[in-house]
């Protein structure tokens, strides 16, 4: 096919015409290399539907927080308190659903409202604490490093204080559906979701192209657009297919039928499909990307990161912006607290320990610049996935725990080094 | 007729230092008023009070005869006061369109920023201001000094400014680009804008301005029509802080 709609500018041919972000490509490449290496080292156990399923649900909690950390770092701040804040929210929600709501408010155990009230209250608490930290940073001008370093100690121990250090569980059954293996869509709904996602992606590509043509902007050649559409469709449906290939073990199915007072038919099989927590991460990723690219809030975040003085002189209320960013970060910490405690089926005192480092590392590996102004949501999620793959892969291969951390630390520094060199070569972007 | 914009008896102090001390200036429609003085004379501080970056300790601002209260850059914009800062005040990581519309983004019916529309508008105004401008998709850090200046000027001109503040608009520019800025000032004058111009270049100021005000140590030494004074008169005002002897 020929280029029909871009008469201006020089024509891009072959691979260039795809106009894909080389940084994104590099990260996907690194991720695939890690996957295939571990697959060889584990004799094919790494890339099984079961392990991929586990990998995704283990990534969700850190990935959700990493999307918020992008905004924090883009505006030249840092949040060291995310793991501790997660623990405080998790402790609060665990106490709320097992003690306060059933006893103090008299809802009793297993009331259908319990999980929803818990989650709403947890998200509110996370946002308020985040907003408070943001107020200290934005309005009282205390450096974010100090505010959140203090927060790290404070919130970690507020969590401890709330539960007296006890493990709180079991949590509400509906609440636990957000954790991963306890809540999945099943085969049919997973496919339906996959098909809807592909349809939406194609529509988005098509309408973006239409808008460009309407303004007489150059567009990619049609074959390039079709190739990208194809890659997206195969990627989404392939991912759903893999998750659907992970069958629920027979024993577990039998128990599920027993619980309903039925007997399992002979030869019955069912797959887990898409976990609810992954669905949640996808929703967060879409929403945060929209905020970053298509809203004024997002524009102001990046402008402030690029040049705080210019943002201020353009009439942007940078103090309030800081409060909003930290409130959003707190909201996402609470959301991660739901996922993390639901996955473990209880709240334990050490939940979220060292998560601040994982989250910051994920954002930074994903291309967020600590100097501010640069970062992407998808990058941070890929960064979280890369970190988790390394960690689980090494655990599967049987690398000693200290060596695992040494490797992860080294990878973080190396990733930033490669990024710095890449930015210099491509001219500061 | 009341002046387009008047700053009356403005004072501001920073930690005991009177940066601006009881200064009054005004500009009429279609007039260019130059502000001259040494570094630290208080020119930029005075002008930043008008653009909302600083708040005056005392004094009043009148726009078209009405008393104006300007506490933030957003307030200034509401009175159609636009500023081109010496530092340009651009977010280097964003492209030209995002900078041009920073703080005033165009949005579609869903409330999302409409990048395509903003880019189309940017193309339109750039075609007028700087026809060689091509790098619309690049972050402005990738642009030359002149191109960055065009973005800053486009931002001030696009939104129908009535009062334009230009702080050293030609400091970073080459000969050709300086000429372009001079032509632009003439064109804006014809459209009836009032312009405050800050520069160190006395000769340039005498060419571009209708009146010049000289400041020294935060105080206004005097305001003169350019046809009434010579370059030497102005220089002596800047250096000695004395008005030229008119009678002689």
């Amino acid at each position: 096919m020929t280029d029909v709609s871009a008469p201006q500018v020089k024509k891009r041919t072959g691979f260039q015409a795809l106009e894909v972000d080389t940084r994104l490509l590099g990260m996907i490449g690194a991720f695939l290399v890690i996957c295939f290496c571990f697959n060889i080292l584990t004799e094919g156990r790494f890339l099984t539907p079961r392990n991929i399923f586990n990998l995704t649900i283990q990534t969700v909690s850190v990935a959700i927080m990493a999307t918020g950390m992008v905004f924090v770092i883009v505006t030249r701040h840092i949040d060291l308190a995310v793991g501790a804040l997660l623990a405080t929210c998790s402790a609060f929600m665990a106490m709320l659903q097992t003690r306060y709501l059933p006893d103090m408010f008299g809802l009793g155990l297993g009331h259908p409202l319990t999980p929803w009230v818990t989650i709403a209250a947890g998200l509110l608490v996370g946002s308020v604490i985040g907003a408070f930290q943001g107020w200290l940073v934005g309005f009282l001008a205390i450096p974010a490093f100090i505010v959140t370093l203090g927060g790290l100690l404070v919130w970690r121990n507020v969590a401890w204080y709330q539960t007296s250090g006890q493990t709180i569980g079991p949590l509400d059954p509906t609440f636990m559906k957000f954790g991963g293996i306890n809540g999945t869509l099943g085969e049919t709904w997973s496919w339906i979701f996959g098909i809807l996602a592909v349809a939406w992606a194609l529509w988005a590509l098509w309408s973006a192209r239409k808008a460009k043509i309407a303004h007489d902007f150059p567009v990619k050649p049609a074959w390039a657009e079709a190739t990208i559409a194809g890659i997206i469709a195969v990627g989404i449906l392939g991912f759903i297919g893999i998750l659907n290939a992970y069958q629920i073990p027979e024993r577990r199915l039998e128990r599920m039928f027993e619980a309903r007072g039925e007997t399992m038919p002979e030869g019955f099989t069912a797959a887990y499909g898409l976990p609810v927590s992954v669905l949640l991460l996808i929703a967060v990723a879409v929403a945060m990307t929209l905020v970053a690219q298509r809203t004024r809030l997002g524009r102001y975040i990046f402008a402030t990161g690029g040049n705080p003085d210019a943002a201020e002189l353009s009439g942007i209320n940078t103090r309030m912006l800081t409060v909003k960013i930290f409130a959003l970060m707190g909201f996402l910490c609470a959301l991660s607290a739901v996922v993390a405690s639901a996955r473990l089926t209880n709240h334990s005192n050490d939940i979220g320990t060292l998560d601040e480092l994982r989250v910051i590392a994920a954002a930074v590996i994903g291309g967020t610049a600590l100097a501010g102004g640069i970062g992407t949501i998808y990058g941070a999620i890929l960064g979280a996935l890369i970190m988790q793959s390394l960690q689980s892969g090494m655990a599967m291969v049987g690398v000693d725990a200290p060596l695992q951390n040494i490797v992860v630390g080294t990878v973080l520094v190396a990733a930033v080094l490669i990024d710095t060199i890449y930015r210099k070569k491509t001219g500061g972007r | 007729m009341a002046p387009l914009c008047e700053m009356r008896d403005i004072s501001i102090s920073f930690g005991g230092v009177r940066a601006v001390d009881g200064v009054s200036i005004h500009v009429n429609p279609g007039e260019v008023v130059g502000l001259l003085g040494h570094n630290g004379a208080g020119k930029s501080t005075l002008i930043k009070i008008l653009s909302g970056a600083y708040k005056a300790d005392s004094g009043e601002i009148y726009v078209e005869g009405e008393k104006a209260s300007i506490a933030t850059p957003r307030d200034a914009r509401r009175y159609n006061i636009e500023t081109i800062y010496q530092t340009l005040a651009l977010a280097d990581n964003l492209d030209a369109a995002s900078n041009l519309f920073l703080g005033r983004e165009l949005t579609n019916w869903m409330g999302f920023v409409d990048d395509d529309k903003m880019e189309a508008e940017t193309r339109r105004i750039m075609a007028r201001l700087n026809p060689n401008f091509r790098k619309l998709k690049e972050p402005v850090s990738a642009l030359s000094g002149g191109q960055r200046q065009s973005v800053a000027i486009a931002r001030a001109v696009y939104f129908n400014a009535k009062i334009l503040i230009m702080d050293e608009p030609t400091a970073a520019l080459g000969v050709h680009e300086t000429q372009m800025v001079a032509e632009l000032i003439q064109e804006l004058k014809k459209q009836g804008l009032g312009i405050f111009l800050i520069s160190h270049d006395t000769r340039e100021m005498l060419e571009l301005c209708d009146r010049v005000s000289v400041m020294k140590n935060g105080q206004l030494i005097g305001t003169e029509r350019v046809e009434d004074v010579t370059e030497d008169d102005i220089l002596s005002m800047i250096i000695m802080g004395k008005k030229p002897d008119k009678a002689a």
Side-chain angles (χ1 to χ4, degrees):
Chain A
M1 256 199 242
T2 49
D3 187 351
V4 285
S5 43
Q8 314 97 311
V9 248
K10 58 176 189 247
K11 281 188 188 171
R12 296 159 192 256
T13 47
F15 185 71
Q16 275 188 325
L18 291 174
E19 288 180 39
V20 273
D21 184 2
T22 44
R23 173 201 295 286
L24 172 64
L25 225 52
M27 274 193 292
I28 293 175
F31 177 58
L32 292 178
V33 168
I34 291 170
C35 288
F36 285 116
C37 285
F38 278 127
N39 201 40
I40 293 165
L41 288 173
T42 56
E43 285 144 2
R45 277 183 299 133
F46 191 80
L47 288 179
T48 54
R50 180 183 162 176
N51 192 49
I52 290 172
F53 183 92
N54 286 331
L55 206 59
T56 52
I57 60 174
Q58 285 161 357
T59 308
V60 171
S61 163
V62 165
I64 287 177
M65 289 190 284
T67 63
M69 190 61 82
V70 171
F71 287 175
V72 173
I73 296 179
V74 160
T75 47
R76 306 187 181 186
H77 296 304
I78 195 80
D79 193 339
L80 300 173
V82 291
L85 185 48
L86 181 147
T88 285
C89 294
S90 167
F92 172 70
M93 286 190 285
M95 293 302 281
L96 195 61
Q97 62 188 297
T98 57
R99 308 277 162 86
Y100 307 152
L101 283 179
D103 302 340
M104 284 163 60
F105 293 90
L107 282 186
L109 277 176
H111 192 281
L113 273 177
T114 304
W116 308 110
V117 172
T118 301
I119 291 171
L123 294 175
L124 184 69
V125 166
S127 310
V128 168
I129 294 176
F132 173 63
Q133 295 193 135
W135 176 74
L136 292 176
V137 176
F139 284 86
L140 301 191
I142 311 170
F145 187 94
I146 298 301
V147 169
T148 58
L149 184 62
L152 172 79
L153 283 171
V154 171
W155 306 122
R156 169 63 53 196
N157 291 288
V158 167
W160 190 339
Y161 186 78
Q162 280 183 87
T163 61
S164 315
Q166 289 170 315
T167 297
I168 309 292
L171 302 175
D172 181 274
T174 312
F175 185 87
M176 284 197 291
K177 287 205 188 310
F178 290 95
I181 200 144
N182 297 314
T184 56
L185 288 189
E187 213 164 342
T188 320
W189 283 106
S190 297
W191 281 123
I192 291 172
F193 173 80
I195 288 163
L196 286 178
V198 170
W200 179 77
L202 295 184
W203 176 81
L205 279 178
W206 181 74
S207 58
R209 187 182 173 85
K210 209 176 63 168
K212 282 214 163 84
I213 291 172
H215 284 287
D216 281 331
F217 293 167
V219 289
K220 295 177 212 174
W223 68 262
E225 208 91 66
T227 309
I228 286 178
I231 292 171
I232 291 173
V234 169
I236 293 173
L237 294 177
F239 178 62
I240 300 283
I242 289 169
L243 292 181
N244 272 341
Y246 181 26
Q247 302 285 333
I248 303 176
E250 213 170 305
R251 291 287 307 279
R252 200 181 157 112
L253 273 177
E254 274 173 18
R255 263 183 279 131
M256 282 160 70
F257 272 92
E258 274 166 26
R260 278 180 284 167
E262 300 165 30
T263 46
M264 191 174 81
E266 199 64 36
F268 179 88
T269 59
Y272 282 110
L274 194 65
V276 175
S277 61
V278 175
L279 202 62
L280 208 58
L281 172 62
I282 293 170
V284 167
V286 170
M288 291 291 280
T289 305
L290 269 179
V291 169
Q293 296 183 351
R294 303 298 308 276
T295 65
R296 288 192 164 155
L297 176 66
R299 196 54 51 91
Y300 296 167
I301 288 170
F302 281 86
T304 304
N307 186 344
D309 296 333
E312 188 108 42
L313 291 173
S314 301
I316 295 169
N317 187 344
T318 50
R319 295 170 163 209
M320 201 58 212
L321 189 69
T322 307
V323 175
K324 285 181 192 163
I325 291 164
F326 276 90
L328 184 58
M329 185 75 248
F331 176 87
L332 293 171
C333 288
L335 198 60
S336 285
V338 174
V339 172
S341 60
R343 188 167 79 84
L344 301 170
T345 70
N346 56 52
H347 165 81
S348 62
N349 206 31
D350 67 342
I351 196 168
T353 305
L354 289 186
D355 265 10
E356 51 283 337
L357 300 185
R358 294 192 191 102
V359 169
I360 293 168
V364 169
I365 288 178
T368 311
L370 284 163
I374 296 166
T376 56
I377 302 298
Y378 61 75
I381 293 173
L382 253 174
L385 203 53
I386 288 173
M387 295 265 300
Q388 189 59 48
S389 314
L390 270 177
Q391 206 114 42
S392 330
M394 285 190 291
M396 283 174 83
V397 174
V399 177
D400 288 341
L403 277 178
Q404 286 183 26
N405 287 335
I406 290 170
V407 170
V408 171
T410 312
V411 166
L412 172 63
V413 176
V416 174
L417 175 66
I418 292 169
D419 198 49
T420 312
I421 296 168
Y422 170 83
R423 278 204 186 114
K424 260 187 202 152
K425 290 235 161 117
T426 54
R429 201 182 162 112
Chain B
M1 195 185 75
L4 178 59
C5 174
E6 184 178 8
M7 297 180 80
R8 212 179 277 171
D9 207 16
I10 302 285
S11 296
I12 188 172
S13 303
F14 296 108
V17 178
R18 288 215 127 185
V20 175
D21 191 1
V23 174
S24 300
I25 54 170
H26 71 273
V27 67
N28 295 310
E31 190 186 35
V32 181
V33 175
L35 279 175
L36 279 160
H38 281 306
N39 286 331
K43 306 166 301 206
S44 286
T45 309
L46 177 67
I47 234 62
K48 276 187 174 162
I49 291 168
L50 184 58
S51 67
Y54 296 147
K55 196 162 166 23
D57 296 335
S58 65
E60 284 118 40
I61 299 170
Y62 294 85
V63 176
E64 292 178 311
E66 304 269 329
K67 191 166 183 228
S69 63
I70 298 173
T72 66
R74 203 172 274 273
D75 294 338
R77 286 178 165 191
R78 220 172 22 236
Y79 290 106
N80 294 314
I81 300 170
E82 295 286 337
T83 311
I84 299 163
Y85 293 97
Q86 190 173 359
T87 54
L88 302 185
L90 298 174
D92 279 338
N93 54 333
L94 302 182
D95 62 14
S98 301
N99 268 295
L100 208 159
F101 288 93
L102 190 57
R104 293 180 280 208
E105 288 74 9
L106 302 178
T107 52
N108 63 16
W109 60 274
M110 284 189 290
F112 290 123
V113 294
D114 195 338
D115 280 315
D116 289 336
K117 198 164 158 200
M118 290 195 286
E119 192 183 328
E121 288 293 297
T122 307
R123 271 170 204 266
R124 207 171 54 77
I125 187 160
M126 279 304 177
R128 192 160 71 85
L129 286 178
N130 185 353
N132 299 321
F133 195 91
R134 290 270 182 279
K135 292 181 171 172
L136 280 148
K137 290 280 187 197
E138 313 270 329
V140 294
S141 60
L143 306 184
S144 71
Q147 289 169 328
R148 289 162 59 83
Q149 188 86 40
S150 315
V151 176
I153 292 175
R155 175 163 64 183
V157 176
Y158 178 83
F159 293 95
N160 300 319
K162 278 188 199 153
I163 300 148
L164 189 60
I165 301 166
M166 301 172 107
D167 191 352
E168 303 268 4
T170 58
L173 300 186
V175 179
H176 176 68
E177 286 151 337
T178 303
Q179 186 57 36
M180 267 175 45
V181 171
E183 281 165 18
L184 179 73
I185 289 175
Q186 293 306 325
E187 194 197 314
L188 295 174
K189 250 180 86 163
K190 262 184 233 146
Q191 293 173 12
L193 273 75
I195 299 173
F196 284 116
L197 189 61
I198 295 181
S199 172
H200 277 106
D201 187 337
T202 316
R203 190 166 304 157
E204 182 189 68
M205 290 290 262
L206 288 175
E207 275 168 29
L208 291 174
C209 300
D210 299 298
R211 285 184 292 131
V212 286
S213 296
V214 178
M215 287 181 72
K216 187 177 164 73
N217 299 334
Q219 291 177 327
L220 185 70
I221 302 302
T223 303
E224 300 292 334
R225 302 200 62 81
V226 289
E227 53 270 28
D228 299 343
V229 284
T230 64
E231 205 182 328
D232 285 345
D233 294 336
I234 297 294
L235 284 175
S236 83
M237 283 169 81
I238 293 172
I239 298 164
M240 322 272 284
K242 275 197 294 197
K243 275 194 175 197
D245 236 334
K246 277 220 189 108

